[in-house]
Amino acid sequence: MYRTMRTIRAFEERLHAEFADGAIPGAVHLYAGQEAIAAGVCSVLGAEDYVASTHRGHGHAIAKGCDVTAMMLEIYGKAGGVCGGKGGSMHIADFGRGMLGANGVAAGGVPLSAGAALSAKVRGTDQVSVAFVGDGGANQGAFAETLVLARVWNLPVVFVVEDNGYAQATGTRFHLDSRDVAPRAEAVGIPATVVDGYDVRAVRAAAAEAVERARAGGGPSLVDCKAFRFFGHMEGWDQQGYRGAGEVEQLRATHDCLVLHRDHLLAESEATEAELTAVDTEVAALIDTAVAAAVAAPEPDLSELLTDVYAPV
Amino acid sequence: MTRVLSYLQAVGEALDQQMGLDPTVVVFGEDNIGGTGCDGTLGHAWGPTQGLHERYPDRVFDAPITEAAFVGAAVGAAATGLRPVADLLFIDFAGVAFDQILNQAAKLRYMAAGRAGAPLVLRAMWGTGMRRGAQHSQALYPLFAHIPGLKVVLPSSPADAKGLMAAAIQDPDPVVFFEHKMLYFTQGEVPEDPYVTPLGQAATVRAGRDCTVVALGRMVHVALEAAAELSAAGIECEVVDPRTISPLDTETIYASVRRTGHLVVVDEANPRCGAAADIAAQVAEHAFDALRGPVRMVTAPHTPTPFSPVLEDAYAPSAGQVVAAVRSTVPYAEQERAS
Ligand SMILES: Cc1ncc(C[n+]2csc(CCOP(=O)(O)OP(=O)(O)O)c2C)c(N)n1
């Protein structure tokens, strides 16, 4: 889990810098700060399990095992990207890894996740499907309806709410009236827990219980994780004027999930400083390689414009 | 008095003035205030609603990400005495609220035999050019124009953006207002006082005798670029901007085609069952006798919008394509005559 979290963090911090340099086109929504959620949840999933993601999807993709270089090529819009450069940051998908896609529409992936769970159930596998959704996206009708459907069809799906306190510039104090999303699931008979999203072990424990329930035929669950994002809603756009003075700095100092996890591993002697630093070095090299490959990769061929609209005949 | 404003400022000025003129106008959408419920100062308000809340604190507000609910609420509020302007951000998100648009807003007047109506405006960004991928770049206006009961507005200049927004707000029916995201920072002369640009009235933005080019939204600028290039070669295009595609000012289009004998339609939307096809078909039906060459359509290909910049640039119609289309329909002899 440390390696996953470190990879997401390094990926995101590098994207932040590259975007500022003008190297990356389009809309990039960074996940940094929320790594414990993706890493904790995906640590209890197998390669065959599914995740449906949000517009803030890099962390989910990395935690689900997507190739970091192919992701980087995609974000640069290059040939060889995980979606051939046609999707970009907001649409990274890799069905071979059970990554059903980041999504440009808030809660757009939530019903898809239920569909994947239905598919697993009908095909008779023990696959589990996870839907990630933001606190803002949790206000969508598609989310509310999917809770109902998942309950009545008893689907092996886990809803993971990433409550980072904001939907764009609008705070949960307004848009959720400062409430948790968890009771909305409970209202339709779905067991739900509220979890400290800064603590990867807490997330993992809650996800493990939910995934086990789903695999055993016990139906859907919801895990409502509290976290925060380091960067603005979207790169190059958001000065975060809506946040309290010093809020980000304060949270970074006290609630950085990566630092907390590292401290824990050292305190419990589960890893040594040298081991963790070795991971950091390997990850840094991986990201360097990915960026170099993305910069060097060719643009997609113009003929690609007309392909993939329909299946080839 | 006129001064130079951006398209974005022009929309904002229209909202501000119409709110000042009519106390039933209300404005809402996600982040329309720019960060409700936060500890800090208000942050980024999307687009032209910035600053409006300070002037009309009770009539400009944020909504959670609840498009189906707030668009439906706009219909209900409109039917009971308000004039809501609801902001979908990107037109692509209309998908999650489509029942409210297609079955509620659009049908209300008809089903009530004229005894009720839904005078609301749905604002939305549209169009390619921002590298936002397939779910944030669509040109969905033909989809809305297909639905009786909706009016569809497509301003291409700051002055039109202001006048058409005023008309949309004052209109007794639901209007979907398409703001091209790549035009937001274009500048133009805009009169200061409130004014209305009537819906259903095309503008002839360039006069010419050889070929009528009907262009929609951002494509007006592409068509003007092509017209300048063709003019240097002796071919004079008349560029017509319908400004609203429902209602559509067919009279201005027919009259122009009667003068030029040729028609090219330039449209950023997908071609099948689209706006260009509709305009071409109407001219073929009602002004066929005036045509002296085939009607040409220059549109995006029938694919979703790609993310990669090189692919996206190849996706949207270009001035070069318009030039080629005009040259292919204006006969050679006529080109000779013109030069
Ligand atoms: C249906 C829909 N409405 C609006 C948007 C625009 N939008 C993109 S992200 C976002 C905020 C999402 O907030 P949240 O779900 O809390 O996720 P976070 O960005 O905090 O990760 C909004 C409003 C959208 N993508 N889809």
Side-chain angles (χ1 to χ4, degrees):
Chain A
M1 288 195 297
Y2 180 80
R3 181 182 294 271
T4 304
M5 291 169 75
R6 171 58 73 191
T7 307
I8 300 172
R9 178 67 54 86
F11 191 86
E12 298 285 280
E13 286 185 331
R14 186 61 179 269
L15 280 184
H16 182 66
E18 296 292 325
F19 190 95
D21 281 351
I24 296 172
V28 174
H29 305 84
L30 296 181
Y31 191 72
Q34 303 178 201
E35 292 89 344
I37 306 175
V41 169
C42 293
S43 75
V44 298
L45 298 179
E48 303 290 308
D49 293 322
Y50 300 112
V51 304
S53 176
T54 65
H55 59 288
R56 204 175 296 290
H58 306 152
H60 309 137
I62 291 172
K64 196 65 184 60
C66 293
D67 182 79
V68 169
T69 298
M71 283 177 61
M72 195 64 87
L73 262 64
E74 187 60 36
I75 292 166
Y76 273 74
K78 296 296 187 71
V82 67
C83 304
K86 286 176 168 174
S89 162
M90 233 187 320
H91 304 295
I92 286 177
D94 185 349
F95 280 68
R97 314 251 172 189
M99 169 57 174
L100 305 181
N103 212 299
V105 179
V110 175
L112 301 188
S113 184
L118 173 69
S119 166
K121 193 171 166 173
V122 170
R123 287 182 289 105
T125 72
D126 70 347
Q127 290 162 288
V128 169
S129 180
V130 170
F132 290 98
V133 66
D135 47 273
N139 279 324
Q140 280 284 293
F143 176 74
E145 291 184 18
T146 306
L147 289 177
V148 173
L149 189 66
R151 175 68 279 161
V152 301
W153 284 356
N154 200 41
L155 296 175
V157 60
V158 179
F159 302 97
V160 177
V161 177
E162 300 188 300
D163 180 354
N164 61 15
Y166 297 97
Q168 288 181 177
T170 301
T172 49
R173 202 137 62 79
F174 169 72
H175 79 74
L176 285 174
D177 197 17
S178 295
R179 288 162 208 268
D180 296 327
V181 177
R184 297 186 182 181
E186 285 164 348
V188 299
I190 292 178
T193 43
V194 179
V195 171
D196 176 355
Y198 306 110
D199 179 350
V200 70
R201 290 162 302 133
V203 174
R204 181 183 156 93
E209 193 186 324
V211 167
E212 218 163 280
R213 177 181 299 124
R215 253 195 247 294
S221 320
L222 183 140
V223 183
D224 184 353
C225 307
K226 309 297 172 188
F228 86 109
R229 57 168 152 81
F230 280 13
F231 300 110
H233 169 67
M234 186 169 89
E235 289 307 276
W237 174 80
D238 180 1
Q239 304 312 314
Q240 306 206 65
Y242 49 88
R243 296 183 96 150
E247 181 186 310
V248 177
E249 295 72 15
Q250 171 64 26
L251 283 166
R252 270 180 108 141
T254 56
H255 287 76
D256 181 334
C257 60
L258 187 58
V259 172
L260 293 174
H261 186 45
R262 189 184 176 104
D263 289 350
H264 170 83
L265 291 173
L266 294 173
E268 301 290 312
S269 302
E270 289 177 25
T272 66
E273 190 79 50
E275 283 165 353
L276 295 178
T277 305
V279 171
D280 297 350
T281 311
E282 282 166 35
V283 166
L286 173 70
I287 301 298
D288 281 344
T289 309
V291 171
V295 170
E299 303 288 358
D301 193 273
L302 288 188
S303 64
E304 290 292 324
L305 187 53
L306 304 178
T307 61
D308 305 320
V309 182
Y310 303 104
V313 280
Chain B
M1 237 221 6
T2 73
R3 65 262 111 92
V4 171
L5 289 187
S6 71
Y7 186 98
L8 190 67
Q9 288 169 322
V11 174
E13 187 165 278
L15 293 174
D16 193 351
Q17 290 180 345
Q18 297 305 311
M19 292 194 84
L21 290 170
D22 180 353
T24 68
V25 177
V26 295
V27 169
F28 50 81
E30 290 145 30
D31 279 8
N32 266 215
I33 296 181
T36 306
C38 302
D39 294 328
T41 54
L42 292 183
H44 191 289
W46 271 91
T49 55
Q50 214 149 13
L52 269 192
H53 176 65
E54 285 68 34
R55 298 174 70 114
Y56 310 101
D58 301 329
R59 291 193 282 142
V60 185
F61 33 92
D62 281 344
I65 312 180
T66 52
E67 288 86 358
F70 77 67
V71 172
V75 180
T80 54
L82 296 187
R83 294 202 169 240
V85 181
D87 177 9
L88 284 173
L89 297 181
F90 291 80
I91 192 61
D92 316 71
F93 308 153
V96 302
F98 216 42
D99 175 62
Q100 298 302 323
I101 301 168
L102 127 98
N103 285 320
Q104 313 305 331
K107 305 293 196 287
L108 194 61
R109 179 175 302 282
Y110 192 77
M111 296 189 307
R115 295 184 183 94
L120 63 92
V121 182
L122 284 184
R123 291 183 44 231
M125 285 185 282
W126 70 283
T128 60
M130 245 192 198
R131 289 67 169 103
R132 288 298 164 86
Q135 295 176 335
H136 283 72
S137 308
Q138 296 172 81
L140 294 176
Y141 42 84
L143 208 58
F144 294 87
H146 185 70
I147 299 167
L150 298 179
K151 295 181 180 175
V152 180
V153 178
L154 217 60
S156 67
S157 72
D160 283 353
K162 177 173 169 180
L164 291 166
M165 176 55 85
I169 292 173
Q170 294 178 16
D171 197 272
D173 289 310
V175 178
V176 190
F177 196 86
F178 282 79
E179 302 168 19
H180 200 294
K181 53 177 90 80
M182 299 308 281
L183 295 181
Y184 263 166
F185 298 101
T186 56
Q187 312 268 318
E189 300 257 324
V190 179
E192 204 166 321
D193 288 338
Y195 61 93
V196 163
T197 305
L199 307 186
Q201 246 180 49
T204 302
V205 293
R206 186 188 201 283
R209 61 173 185 247
D210 297 321
C211 183
T212 299
V213 180
V214 175
L216 301 171
R218 190 176 73 81
M219 290 301 117
V220 171
H221 302 273
V222 171
L224 287 172
E225 202 185 318
E229 192 181 325
L230 285 159
S231 178
I235 300 171
E236 296 300 336
C237 290
E238 181 145 297
V239 179
V240 176
D241 174 3
R243 301 196 287 201
T244 64
I245 61 164
S246 182
L248 179 67
D249 179 0
T250 48
E251 288 316 313
T252 298
I253 296 171
Y254 301 158
S256 176
V257 171
R258 292 216 154 86
R259 273 194 302 278
T260 66
H262 298 280
L263 175 65
V264 172
V265 191
V266 193
D267 177 13
E268 194 180 308
N270 301 137
R272 296 297 324 281
C273 300
D278 176 57
I279 292 168
Q282 297 211 43
V283 169
E285 175 144 21
H286 300 288
F288 187 76
D289 53 316
L291 288 170
R292 282 181 281 124
V295 173
R296 299 287 185 217
M297 296 195 284
V298 184
T299 69
H302 199 63
T303 76
T305 313
F307 162 70
S308 161
V310 291
L311 294 181
E312 189 181 27
D313 289 345
Y315 177 87
S318 65
Q321 285 171 285
V322 178
V323 167
V326 171
R327 284 186 178 281
S328 79
T329 183
V330 175
Y332 181 73
E334 209 162 340
Q335 290 177 33
E336 288 290 282
R337 176 184 59 73
S339 56

